[in-house]
Amino acid sequence: MSGAHWSEEDGLVSVPAAASLQPLVDEAAGLERHLGMRSALYSTVEDALAEADPVLCQRLVRARVQGPTGDVLGPLAPRAAVGPDVTCFAVGTHSLVGSVTLRADHVVAWGAQESCTLDESIALARRLTERGCTLVEVEARAAGSCALVAAFPRRSLASLLPSTRPFPRVTARAVLSFRVTWPDAAELWRALSSDVQMVGSLTLSALNPDFAAVQVVHPEGRAALSEDARRSVELRYRPAASWPHPDVMKALSLRSTPARPARA
Amino acid sequence: MSASTSTPLQAFLHAVQAAAPHVRISRRSMDRLGYARDASAEAFLERREGALPEGPGAVLWPTSTSDVALIVGEAGRHGVPLAPFGAGSGVVHGTLPTPQWAVMDLKLLDEVSIVPERREVVVGAGVLGERLERALNAAGFSAGHFPSSIYCSTVGGWVAARSAGQLSSRYGKIEDMVVALEAVDGMGRQVRVTHGGGPDLLRVLIGSEGALAVITRVTLRIHPIATHRALFGAAAPDVETGLRFMRRVMQSGLRPAVMRMYDPPDTLIAGGIPSDSAPPEVTAGSIGQAGHEYPFMRGPRNNPPHAVEKPLFEALGRRMRAALKHAVGSGAASPAIRAAVGTALHRTDWLRVPYQALPTSCLVVLGLEGDQEDVTEALACTLELATETGVRVVGRAPGERWLRRRHAITYKMPPFIRAGGWADTLEVSAAWSVLPSLYRETRHALLENAVTLAHFSHAYPDGASIYFTLAGGGTTLEQSQQSHRAAVAAAMRVFSSHSASLSHHHGVGRLKKDLLLTSLGPGAKSALQGLKAAWDPRGVLNPGVLGLTGVDA
């Protein structure tokens, strides 16, 4: 068991940050819910947060961050941040995160479509998200073809996809993750597929009607790509904030993620 | 202006004028008075009593981000506190400048650049909401952001205070819409922040209320104007049933543009529950634009009366409002009227019995928009959920009435306040499971000091917000202030005990600064101070807001 506490009424799950992610994903599936993913791309919740995984971060409602002089813990409410959102330092840093609360959405039916082009898949993924689907995954297939799976929160959406049988997802770990606006998704996918053709495959997860996550995945995770190569790709495609992060990190006694050693 | 440098403010103004002569600067008392306060409840009381503050020592109008950078840099060098100012519609004392301060009005940062292929708009922080929406509408888009203050609030203010619009359940709060922003930190350095790897610094600047940086330009997501809509009313037998219906709607993946439920007293104010049961239908036109009508048209003052379950209450309310307006007239109320209103509202626990006599039914207003297929499917699903949860559809009139009146707010001091009362609003978000008790206990806690109405809106899959409208009184300014503060404190204690947010979209300001630290835990103070030290090491940006101190204000 993951040590998770599920709130059926609120559609939330609270869990220690050190919890393994895959058992949590499985537990959600057993409750006819999902955490935005069909299989975990990180080994623990903490890892996903440290790597700023867009899919998990999109579902982060509350985090208990251990600051230099005590815990910081926001209210347990939707859009609860007031003032600067200090708990955002639970993401992309090595700050100590005690526990987190994530949104876990209902699934009443599944749908799938195999063999469509990248552009068709992305357009369909966006459309499904606009209609209310909170889990839509696109996976690369051979010869430039893609396949799409969606979780439906209401049955009346099921007619939007030809099949009700989702194909199994290949177990893998994330090598690189990017949060992008929908218009950028296809371009980034194509650029990454040429940049990292030696490793892994590509997936896309819908985040909301405005944003998606494009991820490079591989069974060995980050170890599949050297740290230098990974950073080089990141620098190319991830917009760098012009603000000097280290000042903020230092002020809050936090270390930022790039110092992290590669791990499987 | 004199070149004298006898005070830090004068030296600062001299330096700015020397480096950027095109930047307009005013030290006229009327200008300073105009920037002295926001639109908070206590600012209204001060104005009513003629207790006018001096305001800032000077007002500056930068025309570009570079101007802002220069002004902030000089303020830092001379130790002058500086408050960025949008349109002054804040209600939490976000702006309280003294004569040692300078205020920087950002309304000349007025760029609106639409990028249709990316569905984005790059907009200057000083652009008023109405102007942005009109510009987008002309190009076939909408921001989907319609705060009640859309005529008198700016994009920079929205971002700085975490604004929410009336269609937020479909289009999100402002923090959901921001793609990138540009700002000037407390050292006068220009920064650009986007959603990148590592900590999301957008989430640090959004909601920072001018204490960490001055937001100068924002990139927002925009949406093609919806082609179809369905707008209608429903009646829930009680608050709990209505909340269950709203939760089921949101957790079914539906994204209604409008879903708001009025509590029993507010239901009466909103026109009551009609007896109509005509089925809602899908029509052409978006909710934001009200079909092809003028998008910001204010509704007629006299709407057709509905058959209400308790017409007596509504008639009584109308008579009371008319009598008050007649008694107060257009000027200040007579001392006798003020004493009567102030005394009646100073202690309001006498309302306990009339409250209990109210009907329990709640009006729900629902609005769906999108393309025809989307709205048709969503409407069918919503009606099914209404039947399942025991909510009854009551025709289209409540929806159309809400649409006509949604921006019908007054810019004058209301007769009620001139007559000796005070009025304020508090907004809170919480998880679905605690909303019923949060509502009941907050109303109970407020009973001693205020008359309360509430509506539930801004719904999400995991919860929603409650918007409380409070009204109280006192026979003197001090008594009114005391009664207002006691009411706010009582509500905040209930919010905190339910792990609810301190605020959903009004911000923290100075009104809730102490509660902010309490609500975020023991590590919050050092974390927030750490942020302040990193972004604004000289402490010149809006010191005091969010409880973050700086140079002596």
Side-chain angles (χ1 to χ4, degrees):
Chain A
M1 293 297 286
S2 59
H5 171 73
W6 298 84
S7 166
E8 179 69 18
E9 187 174 357
D10 298 327
L12 297 174
V13 57
S14 297
V15 66
S20 295
L21 193 49
Q22 187 58 51
L24 192 64
V25 170
D26 294 340
E27 212 171 313
L31 296 167
E32 296 183 330
R33 292 189 173 274
H34 71 80
L35 296 170
M37 60 192 88
R38 290 190 301 143
S39 67
L41 297 183
Y42 296 87
S43 52
T44 64
V45 172
E46 204 167 35
D47 281 352
L49 291 175
E51 298 302 332
D53 171 37
V55 178
L56 199 80
C57 292
Q58 175 75 13
R59 307 191 148 260
L60 187 62
V61 173
R62 173 160 89 159
R64 181 186 289 275
V65 182
Q66 295 166 14
T69 60
D71 288 2
V72 181
L73 181 68
L76 184 56
R79 306 299 191 279
V82 282
D85 186 358
V86 178
T87 57
C88 79
F89 290 103
V91 173
T93 70
H94 284 301
S95 56
L96 295 169
V97 182
S99 61
V100 296
T101 301
L102 304 165
R103 200 159 49 77
D105 292 318
H106 255 306
V107 186
V108 300
W110 289 91
Q113 173 151 331
E114 301 221 35
S115 303
C116 40
T117 69
L118 174 63
D119 293 324
E120 285 167 354
S121 302
I122 289 177
L124 183 54
R126 187 177 193 182
R127 174 79 182 130
L128 289 165
T129 310
E130 285 170 346
R131 294 292 294 272
C133 292
T134 48
L135 186 162
V136 185
E137 292 175 343
V138 175
E139 288 186 8
R141 289 284 194 261
S145 159
C146 292
L148 180 147
V149 167
F152 298 123
R154 55 184 190 275
R155 290 199 186 279
S156 48
L157 293 178
S159 61
L160 294 172
L161 288 178
S163 164
T164 55
R165 286 191 182 176
F167 50 83
R169 182 164 185 174
V170 177
T171 304
R173 290 282 186 263
V175 181
L176 287 159
S177 297
F178 296 90
R179 184 180 195 266
V180 290
T181 58
W182 284 102
D184 289 335
E187 191 186 340
L188 179 65
W189 177 296
R190 290 194 176 97
L192 284 172
S193 63
S194 116
D195 241 354
V196 292
Q197 56 190 322
M198 71 299 285
V199 289
S201 62
L202 284 160
T203 70
L204 176 142
S205 292
L207 299 177
N208 58 41
D210 293 327
F211 294 96
V214 175
Q215 299 182 305
V216 180
V217 300
H218 187 276
E220 290 178 30
R222 289 164 59 102
L225 200 62
S226 77
E227 198 65 22
D228 283 348
R230 204 175 71 89
R231 217 172 275 176
S232 145
V233 177
E234 274 190 333
L235 282 175
R236 202 166 314 150
Y237 298 112
R238 180 166 287 157
S242 62
W243 173 256
H245 280 219
D247 285 6
V248 178
M249 299 292 126
K250 194 176 161 192
L252 295 173
S253 306
L254 298 171
R255 285 179 296 131
S256 61
T257 297
R260 189 183 189 85
R263 64 165 73 188
Chain B
M1 185 174 45
S2 157
S4 160
T5 56
S6 58
T7 68
L9 181 66
Q10 285 169 330
F12 156 72
L13 295 174
H14 185 249
V16 171
Q17 197 169 54
H22 63 278
V23 172
R24 196 183 144 217
I25 298 173
S26 173
R27 302 197 69 184
R28 293 191 318 157
S29 58
M30 286 307 288
D31 282 331
R32 292 164 52 204
L33 186 59
Y35 292 85
R37 290 288 182 271
D38 59 8
S40 58
E42 292 198 14
F44 269 109
L45 293 181
E46 287 178 353
R47 283 181 202 123
R48 183 186 73 195
E49 302 296 331
L52 297 177
E54 284 188 75
V59 183
L60 297 89
W61 285 267
T63 59
S64 66
T65 300
S66 304
D67 288 349
V68 173
L70 171 82
I71 292 167
V72 175
E74 291 299 339
R77 264 186 284 286
H78 294 90
V80 173
L82 187 64
F85 197 98
S89 64
V91 291
V92 289
H93 303 175
T95 310
L96 279 180
T98 66
Q100 290 74 43
W101 287 50
V103 161
M104 186 164 47
D105 183 337
L106 300 170
K107 281 196 278 296
L108 296 181
L109 304 184
D110 59 355
E111 165 194 7
V112 178
S113 305
I114 302 168
V115 191
E117 64 279 13
R118 297 190 56 77
R119 292 194 196 173
E120 290 177 1
V121 62
V122 180
V123 57
V127 173
L128 286 166
E130 179 194 6
R131 199 185 140 230
L132 171 65
E133 189 60 23
R134 282 180 195 280
L136 291 172
N137 289 173
F141 290 95
S142 169
H145 193 68
F146 298 91
S148 298
S149 62
I150 194 164
Y151 297 107
C152 58
S153 57
T154 61
V155 172
W158 293 350
V159 176
R162 294 187 180 277
S163 165
Q166 293 161 345
L167 310 191
S168 72
S169 295
R170 182 168 185 85
Y171 298 105
K173 277 189 81 189
I174 198 73
E175 54 257 54
D176 302 312
M177 301 177 182
V178 176
V179 177
L181 63 80
E182 292 173 36
V184 172
D185 76 0
M187 297 296 286
R189 293 175 295 200
Q190 298 179 34
V191 299
R192 176 179 162 80
V193 179
T194 63
H195 293 289
D200 187 350
L201 296 182
L202 272 180
R203 288 165 61 183
V204 172
L205 289 189
I206 295 172
S208 60
E209 301 189 22
L212 303 181
V214 180
I215 296 164
T216 56
R217 183 190 273 177
V218 183
T219 305
L220 296 174
R221 304 292 304 147
I222 57 175
H223 312 271
I225 292 174
T227 57
H228 288 78
R229 74 170 192 257
L231 196 55
F232 58 101
D238 49 47
V239 166
E240 286 76 6
T241 304
L243 286 173
R244 200 173 311 126
F245 167 65
M246 290 173 71
R247 175 172 65 81
R248 290 284 306 279
V249 167
M250 294 311 295
Q251 293 182 351
S252 297
L254 293 163
R255 296 188 304 121
V258 185
M259 186 165 61
R260 50 200 289 134
M261 177 176 72
Y262 301 94
D263 80 343
D266 212 2
T267 291
L268 295 179
I269 301 287
I273 295 173
S275 51
D276 185 12
S277 58
E281 53 185 36
V282 178
T283 54
S286 78
I287 290 168
Q289 289 213 308
H292 299 291
E293 298 164 22
Y294 185 52
F296 299 105
M297 184 176 68
R298 292 175 63 162
R301 286 200 170 273
N302 297 309
N303 291 290
H306 301 307
V308 293
E309 288 177 350
K310 296 279 180 185
L312 173 67
F313 287 96
E314 199 190 23
L316 196 62
R318 273 202 308 268
R319 291 287 289 273
M320 282 173 66
R321 282 198 298 273
L324 190 59
K325 204 167 177 179
H326 178 73
V328 175
S330 56
S334 74
I337 290 171
R338 287 189 48 177
V341 173
T343 304
L345 289 174
H346 181 51
R347 303 260 328 168
T348 48
D349 27 11
W350 58 271
L351 281 165
R352 208 176 296 267
V353 174
Y355 267 166
Q356 284 169 354
L358 286 174
T360 59
S361 306
C362 299
L363 178 69
V364 185
V365 171
L366 278 144
L368 308 167
E369 71 174 30
D371 61 30
Q372 189 165 16
E373 180 194 345
D374 185 358
V375 179
T376 303
E377 186 267 332
L379 177 61
C381 195
T382 305
L383 296 179
E384 201 174 298
L385 289 171
T387 305
E388 275 177 34
T389 52
V391 167
R392 174 170 60 92
V393 169
V394 292
R396 296 186 288 271
E400 299 295 342
R401 182 180 198 269
W402 170 83
L403 183 64
R404 285 195 304 271
R405 298 184 58 84
R406 72 197 192 284
H407 293 301
I409 56 172
T410 179
Y411 292 90
K412 297 176 187 168
M413 186 175 289
F416 169 73
I417 293 178
R418 280 188 274 128
W422 59 259
D424 201 356
T425 53
L426 294 173
E427 16 67 76
V428 57
S429 70
W432 291 111
S433 56
V434 302
L435 279 172
S437 66
L438 174 66
Y439 163 70
R440 277 194 309 271
E441 290 180 31
T442 305
R443 256 190 68 174
H444 182 75
L446 287 167
L447 203 51
E448 192 174 316
N449 291 292
V451 181
T452 311
L453 311 168
H455 68 258
F456 300 79
S457 55
H458 306 294
Y460 307 96
D462 49 335
S465 94
I466 314 178
Y467 194 88
F468 290 100
T469 302
L470 337 173
T475 52
T476 62
L477 174 62
E478 291 71 28
Q479 206 178 50
S480 293
Q481 286 172 332
Q482 208 173 30
S483 144
H484 171 245
R485 287 170 196 168
V488 172
M492 290 295 157
R493 278 194 294 275
V494 181
F495 296 175
S496 176
S497 70
H498 283 75
S499 191
S501 63
L502 282 183
S503 163
H504 178 258
H505 55 269
H506 286 174
V508 176
R510 288 162 183 81
L511 190 68
K512 303 173 188 173
K513 64 182 169 61
D514 298 331
L515 297 156
L516 174 67
L517 298 181
T518 314
S519 80
L520 292 181
K525 190 171 182 182
S526 65
L528 284 170
Q529 282 173 342
L531 279 176
K532 178 75 172 172
W535 286 91
D536 178 27
R538 290 164 166 167
V540 292
L541 294 179
N542 207 7
V545 78
L546 304 173
L548 297 171
T549 53
V551 291
D552 186 12

